[in-house]
Amino acid sequence: MVKLFVVGYPLDIQDSELIEMFSIQGLVHSIELITDKFTHKHKGFGFIEMVDEAGAERAIAALNGKVIKGRKITVKKADEDRAEKPRTFKGNRFQSEEGNSAPRANEQPFKSKRPRKLVSDK
Protein backbone atom coordinates (compact mmCIF):
# COMPACT_ATOMS: atom_id res chain seq x y z
CA MET A 1 0.00 0.00 0.00
CA VAL A 2 1.23 3.46 -0.92
CA LYS A 3 -0.28 6.54 0.70
CA LEU A 4 -0.54 9.67 -1.46
CA PHE A 5 -1.00 13.22 -0.21
CA VAL A 6 -3.41 15.26 -2.35
CA VAL A 7 -3.77 19.02 -1.87
CA GLY A 8 -5.45 21.82 -3.78
CA TYR A 9 -8.54 20.01 -5.04
CA PRO A 10 -11.77 22.03 -5.30
CA LEU A 11 -13.69 22.25 -2.05
CA ASP A 12 -16.98 21.27 -3.69
CA ILE A 13 -15.63 18.01 -5.17
CA GLN A 14 -17.22 14.72 -4.17
CA ASP A 15 -15.23 11.76 -2.82
CA SER A 16 -16.48 9.62 -5.69
CA GLU A 17 -15.03 12.06 -8.27
CA LEU A 18 -11.56 11.77 -6.74
CA ILE A 19 -11.82 8.00 -6.50
CA GLU A 20 -12.79 7.88 -10.17
CA MET A 21 -9.81 10.04 -11.19
CA PHE A 22 -7.32 7.92 -9.23
CA SER A 23 -8.85 4.55 -10.10
CA ILE A 24 -8.00 5.16 -13.78
CA GLN A 25 -4.32 5.05 -12.79
CA GLY A 26 -4.53 2.05 -10.45
CA LEU A 27 -6.53 0.36 -7.70
CA VAL A 28 -7.60 2.67 -4.86
CA HIS A 29 -7.66 1.07 -1.42
CA SER A 30 -9.01 3.97 0.66
CA ILE A 31 -9.59 7.72 0.62
CA GLU A 32 -9.56 10.15 3.54
CA LEU A 33 -10.40 13.77 2.78
CA ILE A 34 -9.84 16.07 5.75
CA THR A 35 -12.93 18.05 6.77
CA ASP A 36 -13.62 20.79 9.29
CA LYS A 37 -15.09 19.26 12.44
CA PHE A 38 -17.72 21.98 12.87
CA THR A 39 -18.88 22.75 9.31
CA HIS A 40 -18.01 19.33 7.80
CA LYS A 41 -16.67 21.06 4.67
CA HIS A 42 -13.49 19.91 2.93
CA LYS A 43 -10.27 21.67 3.93
CA GLY A 44 -8.67 21.09 0.53
CA PHE A 45 -6.30 18.23 1.33
CA GLY A 46 -6.45 14.54 2.04
CA PHE A 47 -4.88 11.13 1.63
CA ILE A 48 -5.51 8.45 -0.96
CA GLU A 49 -4.11 4.97 -0.44
CA MET A 50 -3.24 3.04 -3.59
CA VAL A 51 -2.85 -0.74 -3.68
CA ASP A 52 0.46 -0.92 -5.57
CA GLU A 53 3.55 1.22 -6.16
CA ALA A 54 3.13 1.28 -9.95
CA GLY A 55 -0.41 2.66 -9.70
CA ALA A 56 0.74 5.32 -7.26
CA GLU A 57 3.57 6.39 -9.58
CA ARG A 58 1.15 6.59 -12.53
CA ALA A 59 -1.27 8.69 -10.45
CA ILE A 60 1.50 11.08 -9.43
CA ALA A 61 2.71 11.43 -13.01
CA ALA A 62 -0.77 11.91 -14.47
CA LEU A 63 -2.49 14.05 -11.81
CA ASN A 64 0.23 16.19 -10.22
CA GLY A 65 -0.23 19.74 -11.51
CA LYS A 66 -3.56 19.01 -13.21
CA VAL A 67 -6.18 21.78 -13.09
CA ILE A 68 -9.59 20.65 -11.84
CA LYS A 69 -12.44 23.17 -11.74
CA GLY A 70 -9.96 26.04 -11.80
CA ARG A 71 -7.69 24.69 -9.04
CA LYS A 72 -4.30 23.07 -9.52
CA ILE A 73 -3.87 19.89 -7.49
CA THR A 74 -0.63 18.52 -6.11
CA VAL A 75 -0.13 14.78 -5.66
CA LYS A 76 2.90 13.26 -3.93
CA LYS A 77 3.81 10.40 -1.64
CA ALA A 78 2.68 11.11 1.90
CA ASP A 79 5.86 9.97 3.68
CA GLU A 80 8.23 11.47 1.14
CA ASP A 81 9.56 14.41 3.21
CA ARG A 82 8.63 13.37 6.76
CA ALA A 83 11.73 11.23 7.42
CA GLU A 84 14.19 13.94 6.33
CA LYS A 85 12.36 16.82 8.02
CA PRO A 86 11.29 15.92 11.54
CA ARG A 87 9.03 18.43 13.23
CA THR A 88 10.64 20.90 15.59
CA PHE A 89 8.75 22.86 18.17
CA LYS A 90 9.82 26.20 19.57
CA GLY A 91 9.39 26.87 23.24
CA ASN A 92 7.21 29.60 24.61
CA ARG A 93 9.22 32.81 24.41
CA PHE A 94 7.45 34.33 27.42
CA GLN A 95 8.53 31.68 29.88
CA SER A 96 11.12 32.40 32.54
CA GLU A 97 14.37 30.46 32.89
CA GLU A 98 12.76 27.76 35.04
CA GLY A 99 10.13 27.06 32.41
CA ASN A 100 7.06 28.47 34.13
CA SER A 101 5.52 31.84 33.38
CA ALA A 102 4.52 32.70 36.95
CA PRO A 103 6.67 35.26 38.80
CA ARG A 104 9.06 33.99 41.43
CA ALA A 105 8.16 34.28 45.13
CA ASN A 106 10.87 36.84 45.95
CA GLU A 107 10.26 39.18 43.01
CA GLN A 108 7.33 41.50 42.53
CA PRO A 109 5.81 41.96 39.12
CA PHE A 110 5.91 45.53 37.73
CA LYS A 111 8.11 46.79 40.55
CA SER A 112 9.39 49.71 38.47
CA LYS A 113 5.92 51.17 37.85
CA ARG A 114 4.11 53.54 40.17
CA PRO A 115 0.47 52.90 41.00
CA ARG A 116 -2.05 55.05 39.16
CA LYS A 117 -4.03 57.79 40.81
CA LEU A 118 -7.76 57.42 40.68
CA VAL A 119 -9.47 60.49 39.25
CA SER A 120 -12.84 61.44 40.65
CA ASP A 121 -15.45 63.67 39.00
CA LYS A 122 -15.81 66.07 41.98
Side-chain angles (χ1 to χ4, degrees):
M1 304 276 182
V2 179
K3 196 175 222 182
L4 299 177
F5 177 69
V6 182
V7 66
Y9 58 82
L11 301 179
D12 60 345
I13 199 165
Q14 299 296 319
D15 296 0
S16 60
E17 294 177 64
L18 276 176
I19 291 172
E20 185 178 317
M21 287 173 33
F22 279 85
S23 64
I24 294 171
Q25 310 304 324
L27 293 173
V28 175
H29 180 265
S30 66
I31 183 169
E32 179 185 357
L33 301 180
I34 308 301
T35 57
D36 184 74
K37 67 180 180 179
F38 298 112
T39 62
H40 302 290
K41 292 183 180 179
H42 293 292
K43 287 192 167 190
F45 67 96
F47 299 94
I48 296 180
E49 199 167 6
M50 305 289 286
V51 173
D52 59 342
E53 181 76 31
E57 293 297 329
R58 283 193 303 270
I60 292 170
L63 299 174
N64 189 24
K66 185 176 180 180
V67 177
I68 303 169
K69 296 182 183 180
R71 293 195 61 173
K72 183 179 172 183
I73 67 169
T74 302
V75 181
K76 64 180 184 177
K77 288 186 180 178
D79 299 325
E80 173 174 289
D81 296 329
R82 184 56 54 204
E84 293 89 29
K85 296 183 203 174
R87 287 181 147 185
T88 58
F89 295 100
K90 294 182 180 178
N92 187 354
R93 66 183 183 143
F94 297 109
Q95 290 179 345
S96 64
E97 294 83 29
E98 283 86 279
N100 58 6
S101 59
R104 293 184 202 125
N106 61 354
E107 86 179 34
Q108 296 175 353
F110 307 112
K111 69 178 185 179
S112 63
K113 289 191 174 186
R114 295 183 304 165
R116 291 184 182 172
K117 289 185 179 180
L118 297 175
V119 179
S120 62
D121 294 334
K122 292 183 185 179

